[in-house]
Amino acid sequence: MTRSDLVEELAARFSQLTHRDAEFAVKAILDAMSDALTRGHRIEIRGFGSFSINRRPPRMGRNPRSGESVAIPEKRVPHFKPGKALREAVDRRTAELKALEGESPERPS
């Protein structure tokens, strides 16, 4: 699902919202989430999951062309951890799809 798909879904679900209002709402929410993560805060949406910042320590890497060592600096990267309800819903849907295809959900694919 893309950002524009999310705007379309929101506008379709809530008829009182114009397309422009839905677009503004999605932008406002995503901007607020980005700002919070940039400041180092954690975001938790119950039933969906949590967003946090992980620290990647500095390390030595290798240039694949020349083979020489390259120092890679420390990074802070966003991390998403799905909530229990989301994990269970995805797992349940996966099992349903496998059952429809005639596969046993216990059997690895």
Side-chain angles (χ1 to χ4, degrees):
M1 176 176 264
T2 63
R3 182 180 183 146
S4 56
D5 292 340
L6 189 56
V7 169
E8 293 295 329
E9 181 72 26
L10 192 60
R13 253 189 221 192
F14 299 99
S15 58
Q16 69 269 27
L17 285 179
T18 65
H19 187 273
R20 186 179 206 133
D21 289 342
E23 192 172 346
F24 181 76
V26 169
K27 183 179 179 348
I29 289 169
L30 294 178
D31 286 348
M33 291 174 73
S34 295
D35 290 345
L37 288 173
T38 302
R39 290 190 312 266
H41 295 273
R42 184 172 179 274
I43 301 167
E44 182 177 332
I45 303 170
R46 302 258 175 189
F48 182 71
S50 62
F51 297 86
S52 59
I53 297 294
N54 279 357
R55 178 186 164 271
R56 288 189 184 162
R59 62 187 173 91
M60 290 302 289
R62 234 174 242 302
N63 180 331
R65 280 202 177 146
S66 65
E68 73 179 270
S69 293
V70 178
I72 300 173
E74 175 181 81
K75 289 183 182 180
R76 292 176 20 163
V77 294
H79 173 73
F80 174 71
K81 181 179 177 189
K84 182 179 177 185
L86 178 60
R87 280 194 321 267
E88 289 174 353
V90 169
D91 189 43
R92 190 170 39 253
R93 181 68 177 146
T94 303
E96 289 170 3
L97 290 174
K98 284 185 179 183
L100 288 175
E101 294 172 356
E103 296 180 10
S104 170
E106 293 82 35
R107 193 174 79 198
S109 33

